Amino acid sequence: KKYQFPGPEAGAERLSDRPVIIGFGPAGLFCGLMLARAGFRPVILERGADVDTRTKEVKRFWEEGTLNPESNVQFGEGGAGTFSDGKLNTAGKDKYGRNRFVLETFVQYGAPEEILYDGKPHIGTDLLCMVVANMRNAIQQAGGTIRFENKVTDLVIKRGRLTALVINGTETLPCDTAVLAVGHSARDTFEMLYKRKLHMTPK
């Protein structure tokens, strides 16, 4: 019998603030969806733009060479994979069923059912943009909040505990629980974490 991915267990500690997810690529997207489904009403902060605006900015870069350093092929809703033609990995040896859960979720939000049985599944970029937007809408309908063009520029840590996030260098957002889902390209964010002496482990 194949083990099915059950999702995370609910914690016992009451949160004083809504949980915050930093980054809205694949990790942030699924984290946001699962927290929203569990009733946690997450706040998601993404330095880049929504997928429609981001698509225009990426097209402008390819055609004119004009780069938006905060919203481009690497940064923005959906993450870098949104513009790599949606290649997927079935991970046949995934004993926890996580990859199957991901594929089934994509199908639920508009991806073709063939990705569930194709040996080398992929979702074209145009279709993937729609799937990502549908998942965003589901998060919002479940009480989540997505804030685009909101870059976390610093952490407020008191007595060894996170108390707030600084956004775009100006706004302070109270926060005691944050999930870092920034991908591998956010070097400025990693530099900030290093300066704050947060322990980091290479993948």
Side-chain angles (χ1 to χ4, degrees):
K1 183 178 178 180
K2 185 174 181 180
Y3 185 82
Q4 294 297 313
F5 180 56
E9 295 182 3
E13 183 178 345
R14 181 174 294 276
L15 304 180
S16 59
D17 302 301
R18 293 165 66 183
V20 177
I21 302 166
I22 304 169
F24 203 39
L29 186 66
F30 274 86
C31 182
L33 182 65
M34 299 194 74
L35 286 177
R37 285 177 173 178
F40 284 100
R41 299 171 57 243
V43 177
I44 303 172
L45 305 176
E46 167 56 51
R47 70 193 292 173
D50 64 88
V51 73
D52 293 329
T53 303
R54 183 182 174 212
T55 298
K56 296 175 183 176
E57 292 172 335
V58 169
K59 182 180 179 182
R60 188 181 306 118
F61 171 71
W62 284 334
E63 293 178 350
E64 304 172 9
T66 303
L67 174 67
N68 179 345
E70 301 300 341
S71 186
N72 46 59
V73 173
Q74 295 292 340
F75 302 133
E77 182 178 24
T82 307
F83 293 94
S84 63
D85 202 28
K87 296 176 182 65
L88 302 172
N89 185 346
T90 56
K93 295 182 180 180
D94 176 25
K95 64 180 180 179
Y96 298 110
R98 292 173 295 191
N99 285 66
R100 179 72 183 187
F101 170 77
V102 167
L103 296 177
E104 289 176 347
T105 302
F106 281 148
V107 170
Q108 180 183 352
Y109 291 103
E113 289 190 7
E114 296 87 79
I115 67 172
L116 297 177
Y117 52 80
D118 279 351
K120 295 182 179 180
H122 101 288
I123 308 172
T125 293
D126 291 344
L127 187 55
L128 186 58
C129 288
M130 180 197 70
V131 172
V132 168
N134 288 342
M135 292 176 70
R136 178 224 307 159
N137 291 336
I139 293 170
Q140 292 172 320
Q141 289 170 7
T145 301
I146 295 107
R147 295 175 51 173
F148 295 108
E149 300 177 357
N150 277 242
K151 177 180 177 180
V152 174
T153 50
D154 204 357
L155 310 178
V156 179
I157 300 174
K158 296 180 179 179
R159 296 179 181 176
R161 294 183 66 92
L162 177 68
T163 61
L165 303 171
V166 179
I167 303 170
N168 295 335
T170 57
E171 177 188 355
T172 301
L173 177 70
C175 169
D176 60 2
T177 303
V179 177
L180 281 164
V182 298
H184 58 64
S185 300
R187 295 185 180 183
D188 47 3
T189 302
F190 290 122
E191 183 178 359
M192 178 269 290
L193 297 173
Y194 179 76
K195 288 180 179 178
R196 283 291 176 189
K197 301 188 184 321
L198 265 70
H199 176 73
M200 291 183 282
T201 303
K203 181 178 178 181

